[in-house]
Amino acid sequence: MTQATAASSEQSPMNTAKADSLPMQAPTAKTATELPKEILVKWLYDMQLIREFENRTMQAYQQAKIGGFCHIYTGQEAVAVGTIGCVNHDDPVITAYRDHGHALARGMTPEACMAEMFGRTTGCAKGKGGSMHMFDRPNWLMGGHGIVSAQTPMGAGFAFAAKYELEVMGTGKKKVCLCYLGDGALDQGCFHEAQNLASLWDLPVIYILENNGYSMGTAIERHTANFENLVDRAKGYGIRGIEIDGLDIMNVYDKFKPLADECRETSRPAFVDLKTYRYQGHSMSDPQKYRTKEEVDQYKDKDSIAKLCADLMDMGHIDETGWKAMRKEIADIVRASVESADAAPIPDADELFTDVYANPEKNLSPTATYTHGTKNPLM
Amino acid sequence: MTMIETDIHPAIDNPALPMFLPEDQMPSRQGDRIIQFREALREAMSEEMRKDKRVFLLGEEVAQYNGAYKVSQGMLDEFGPKRIIDTPISENGFAGMAIAAAMTGLRPIVEFMSWSFSFVAADPILNNAPKMLYMSGGQFGCPIVFRGNDGAGGQLASTHSWCVEALYANVPGLKMAIPSNPYDAKGLLKTAINDPDPVFFMESERMLGDKAHVPEEEYYIPFGRARLAREGDAVTLVSFGRPVHFCLEAAETLAAEGIEVDVLDMRTIRPLDIESIIERVKVTNKVLVVDQSWPFASIASEVVTQICERCFDWLDSAPARLNTADVPTPYAKGLEYDYLPNPERIVGAVRKLINA
């Protein structure tokens, strides 16, 4: 972590004093093939990092090192890495509870993410949030939200705040908020309210539907009307919508980049029906009786990491040796994150009563005395 | 008015709390600047908005309509449509939106036309605002004010007459203020807007037209400080919000019979100024909590419990509570009156307590 140098963040209401080492600005290339090698290889790295991280997460869950609900992102890597790769570092990102992939793609360290699931003080929420509530303020990850679709009005809210800062306070800059949702969230009322508000008030938010075909165990044709024309639904709110094949990250960039730029420039919302697939069950406790192994295998044949790897080899950006070395490096990093999480301290009992109130006056509770507690490791 | 830096959580940017004056240096409650409760609320919001561009107001009919209850009358003219924002009837949507804005350091004031309409926004206001600081491990605060009419209006029947105090005050992470008069309304709302935590601010449709002297100057009333609205020796009446007036009316009736009672106006529910209650219980040794919400697991239940825990030995009889009748709010005028913790019911409860 290094000190941020951007002057605008000092004046903005939200002070993110620390930024990570990722590039601050989105690339300008119009198509993925024009992108510099470093970026394309970094995509492969980030996708493989998520894949490996999630495999280790499942292992740790099965060993009861991780508790609660745990939703695995494997299969959908091209979505988080590809779309986040199209925006600036200080564009807010918010998602639902299948959030480990977004956290890593945003730049959260595997240590902070894994330690959070292990319930340790070194976790991104000091062990208070767990798998479903990944927050990373220096990297503009505004959560991990556990209630289906609760993040969609908030996505409009971050877009609103950016616009308010610019127009009322005269600080900040043009931003675009990426708000992810699963197809189950399509059916919640608040998503419709959010789209209405975003369109009505010209808010620069992109609703990215990670359409993996299932709302928990209910297939899309059984849970949402007119499921083959979801873009039409957005049009009903005057929101531009497009469909994207989310298994090919180069394609994700080509389609999503112009949309993100336009959304930022015109301050108009957008909706993306990003077709993807999750390899694992809804959560770790899902026996997956609602789909066949053949269906899963069919998608695994179109695996997004294998696809990108093959493309990069064709382009001469990486070779077998390089790919092998990259996988080894990632495996080591992820293993180290598990080891460091396992060795990290569990929260003190005192930590139970911290971070409840920002101004913990007396008599707020008949039984508790609140304090600020330890500093968040990310801040 | 000087703002003081205090020990505010590092998640809050540019934190400042107002300088709270000692009670004897506060501007006088007596005077001839008589304005309505709704004007006091407006004055509080406008003063803070003039000083801090992070503050904005949104809600149904707050701008062009000048407020469904005229609380925000004229504010659109002064601050413009970017800061006084008319919303669709979409509480879940705009409450969630405002919470996100608060996370990034803005200071939204969300007006619910009625707290009865807040239930469709229960998820954002209960699941996000009060828990944001905790579940983000201290990374994101949520400095926001939700305000609106609470409690029975005038014959609005069961869906529009909610008292949400007991339901919502149960949730750790939020604060709750409930003024009973214009002077307190201004001072408490100004404090709420500057507080770095989510504040649930309870008003009453039946009190918006109440008139009293409200000082023109700026002043802030700290949370967690009750006001002894009337001093007696027979019984301490503990109340908050509109029923404080029922208590004061009952006190007049009782005084005519030679019974002098305390009326303690709590002003905030969370934090709860239990010390002031204990102080008065030590004088009167009898206590009646008057609460406009239902009795089961109510604020009165909480206050009575804390009294038992903290000053049981000072009581001459069991602490008593008087709530609204434990039924949905009726429409018929007489039934609605009987349902409320009205002055006649309070007088009856005090007599019973004295004779106990």
Side-chain angles (χ1 to χ4, degrees):
Chain A
M1 297 279 172
T2 53
Q3 288 298 118
T5 49
S8 65
S9 71
E10 289 168 16
Q11 293 153 7
S12 135
M14 184 173 116
N15 174 26
T16 46
K18 286 182 177 180
D20 79 341
S21 55
L22 286 174
M24 299 297 282
Q25 294 296 318
T28 51
K30 295 255 185 296
T31 62
T33 47
E34 296 165 39
L35 284 167
K37 173 187 163 185
E38 293 69 36
I39 289 181
L40 294 170
V41 173
K42 180 72 165 44
W43 283 355
L44 183 64
Y45 181 96
D46 283 351
M47 287 166 69
Q48 178 62 22
L49 177 67
I50 295 170
R51 178 72 53 92
E52 181 72 16
F53 184 90
E54 292 295 58
N55 288 339
R56 285 284 182 177
T57 298
M58 287 190 282
Q59 217 172 52
Y61 192 91
Q62 279 149 358
Q63 293 166 351
K65 301 270 189 189
I66 296 172
F69 291 140
C70 189
H71 309 83
I72 300 298
Y73 198 64
T74 312
Q76 303 182 202
E77 294 90 345
V79 179
V81 175
T83 51
I84 287 172
C86 291
V87 297
N88 297 335
H89 176 260
D90 56 1
D91 286 323
V93 168
I94 182 167
T95 186
Y97 42 77
R98 195 179 306 284
D99 57 355
H100 316 156
H102 307 83
L104 296 174
R106 260 276 105 159
M108 185 185 289
T109 62
E111 288 79 8
C113 196
M114 190 63 79
E116 185 54 35
M117 291 191 275
F118 275 57
R120 306 302 167 109
T121 57
T122 51
C124 65
K126 302 196 291 186
K128 287 173 168 174
S131 163
M132 298 191 284
H133 306 106
M134 296 292 171
F135 288 85
D136 187 340
R137 178 165 162 158
N139 284 315
W140 287 87
L141 177 69
M142 320 305 278
H145 292 270
I147 304 294
V148 172
S149 203
Q151 77 278 15
T152 59
M154 297 179 73
F158 295 121
F160 171 90
K163 198 174 163 179
Y164 185 95
E165 264 189 64
L166 198 60
E167 293 181 354
V168 176
M169 305 186 66
T171 58
K173 59 183 191 181
K174 282 188 171 180
K175 288 190 175 187
V176 57
C177 173
L178 304 188
C179 179
Y180 297 84
L181 58 146
D183 46 296
L186 289 169
D187 311 326
Q188 283 279 27
C190 64
F191 180 46
H192 296 265
E193 296 189 26
Q195 290 176 94
N196 184 47
L197 289 167
S199 184
L200 189 67
W201 293 343
D202 296 321
L203 303 178
V205 55
I206 305 183
Y207 289 108
I208 301 168
L209 169 64
E210 299 197 57
N211 190 347
N212 62 27
Y214 292 94
S215 170
M216 198 167 163
T218 307
I220 191 158
E221 62 270 24
R222 294 174 56 227
H223 77 71
T224 209
N226 197 17
F227 69 96
E228 286 165 315
N229 295 298
L230 294 170
V231 161
D232 286 354
R233 208 184 269 190
K235 278 185 193 153
Y237 293 104
I239 294 177
R240 183 183 166 192
I242 57 170
E243 287 182 12
I244 301 179
D245 168 11
L247 297 177
D248 176 358
I249 192 169
M250 310 276 267
N251 180 59
V252 170
Y253 183 88
D254 291 352
K255 301 275 172 50
F256 191 80
K257 182 64 170 53
L259 191 73
D261 290 348
E262 185 188 310
C263 182
R264 182 195 313 280
E265 209 43 52
T266 60
S267 193
R268 284 292 301 166
F271 169 82
V272 180
D273 179 0
L274 239 155
K275 314 283 190 193
T276 185
Y277 198 77
R278 68 168 144 81
Y279 293 169
Q280 301 301 321
H282 165 72
S283 72
M284 286 299 292
S285 55
D286 176 3
Q288 301 184 63
K289 291 192 172 149
Y290 49 85
R291 63 181 186 183
T292 61
K293 188 175 174 299
E294 288 70 34
E295 181 186 304
V296 180
D297 287 344
Q298 192 191 328
Y299 278 97
K300 285 187 175 171
D301 288 343
K302 298 188 279 185
D303 183 68
S304 61
I305 296 178
K307 170 82 171 68
L308 177 62
C309 191
D311 285 349
L312 295 189
M313 284 183 183
D314 286 349
M315 294 164 86
H317 288 341
I318 195 166
D319 57 16
E320 276 297 345
T321 318
W323 173 224
K324 199 176 164 191
M326 182 189 279
R327 279 180 297 167
K328 167 81 168 56
E329 183 191 333
I330 289 169
D332 289 346
I333 286 170
V334 174
R335 191 182 313 109
S337 78
V338 174
E339 286 164 7
S340 84
D342 215 9
I346 56 168
D348 277 346
D350 292 349
E351 197 68 29
L352 188 60
F353 296 101
T354 67
D355 307 317
V356 179
Y357 287 95
N359 175 23
E361 307 168 81
K362 69 170 188 171
N363 289 331
L364 280 165
S365 165
T367 55
T369 303
Y370 303 112
T371 59
H372 292 332
T374 53
K375 198 164 174 287
N376 184 289
L378 302 185
M379 284 178 70
Chain B
M1 178 67 61
T2 319
M3 308 292 271
I4 51 166
E5 293 294 323
T6 50
D7 182 26
I8 303 296
H9 196 286
I12 303 296
D13 292 309
N14 306 313
L17 279 185
M19 184 82 84
F20 294 114
L21 298 172
E23 195 64 44
D24 58 0
Q25 288 173 34
M26 288 288 280
S28 174
R29 304 181 75 94
Q30 311 303 322
D32 55 6
R33 188 171 177 272
I34 307 297
I35 63 171
Q36 291 183 13
F37 197 113
R38 56 166 63 81
E39 294 172 286
L41 294 170
R42 186 189 312 149
E43 204 160 277
M45 291 191 286
S46 297
E47 285 174 7
E48 295 308 314
M49 284 183 66
R50 279 174 208 131
K51 285 189 296 192
D52 189 346
K53 281 191 171 172
R54 295 177 300 177
V55 184
F56 62 97
L57 171 69
L58 76 167
E60 292 150 8
E61 312 294 357
V62 299
Q64 289 196 14
Y65 196 89
N66 271 315
Y69 293 93
K70 302 290 173 267
V71 171
S72 56
Q73 190 160 36
M75 289 178 72
L76 173 64
D77 290 343
E78 179 175 357
F79 299 105
K82 289 192 193 305
R83 296 181 73 196
I84 306 294
I85 304 165
D86 274 329
T87 66
I89 300 175
S90 190
E91 285 86 359
N92 194 342
F94 68 73
M97 219 199 69
I99 287 165
M103 282 170 73
T104 69
L106 298 179
R107 300 287 180 119
I109 304 169
V110 177
E111 177 174 310
F112 289 128
M113 198 185 295
S114 161
W115 277 99
S116 295
F117 308 156
S118 70
F119 297 122
V120 292
D123 184 61
I125 69 173
L126 301 181
N127 227 350
N128 279 334
K131 299 175 180 172
M132 196 56 70
L133 188 64
Y134 199 81
M135 69 180 174
S136 68
Q139 292 187 70
F140 290 100
C142 193
I144 191 167
V145 178
F146 299 103
R147 46 160 289 270
N149 290 315
D150 176 67
Q155 290 188 269
L156 300 180
S158 59
T159 60
H160 282 52
S161 302
W162 270 90
C163 286
V164 298
E165 297 90 299
L167 287 177
Y168 289 173
N170 185 243
V171 182
L174 60 81
K175 296 177 179 177
M176 188 177 283
I178 179 165
S180 72
N181 57 78
Y183 181 102
D184 288 351
K186 177 175 171 179
L188 288 171
L189 185 52
K190 284 172 70 71
T191 301
I193 294 167
N194 282 287
D195 195 276
D197 289 304
V199 179
F200 287 38
F201 198 89
M202 304 293 147
E203 299 155 14
S204 161
E205 185 201 319
R206 299 307 299 267
M207 296 197 302
L208 289 175
D210 287 2
K211 288 179 177 175
H213 168 70
V214 173
E216 195 167 7
E217 64 253 52
E218 291 196 41
Y219 59 97
Y220 296 83
I221 297 174
F223 286 178
R225 305 270 179 83
R227 183 177 76 92
L228 192 58
R230 185 179 175 118
E231 192 170 342
D233 53 17
V235 174
T236 297
L237 303 184
V238 175
S239 195
F240 39 87
R242 186 181 170 209
V244 168
H245 297 281
F246 301 155
C247 291
L248 290 169
E249 216 178 295
E252 285 293 326
T253 307
L254 291 161
E257 299 171 16
I259 301 167
E260 290 294 342
V261 296
D262 280 346
V263 177
L264 204 50
D265 180 350
M266 298 311 297
R267 302 202 284 199
T268 60
I269 286 173
R270 202 165 177 158
L272 184 80
D273 182 7
I274 186 68
E275 282 86 7
S276 288
I277 297 175
I278 295 169
E279 195 183 309
R280 294 312 303 169
V281 166
K282 285 180 177 175
V283 174
T284 62
N285 313 114
K286 286 178 190 284
V287 65
L288 172 70
V289 186
V290 181
D291 178 358
Q292 62 178 345
S293 59
W294 291 308
F296 199 99
S298 62
I299 304 299
S301 317
E302 175 57 34
V303 173
V304 165
T305 303
Q306 290 197 34
I307 290 168
C308 290
E309 288 168 343
R310 301 281 296 269
C311 57
F312 186 80
D313 291 343
W314 288 89
L315 292 167
D316 283 347
S317 55
R321 63 174 165 181
L322 181 68
N323 290 75
T324 45
D326 207 1
V327 297
T329 317
Y331 164 75
K333 200 169 186 175
L335 285 181
E336 187 192 61
Y337 188 77
D338 293 343
Y339 159 90
L340 293 168
N342 61 48
E344 290 77 18
R345 289 181 64 207
I346 295 171
V347 168
V350 168
R351 285 197 190 116
K352 195 174 156 197
L353 196 55
I354 287 173
N355 297 326

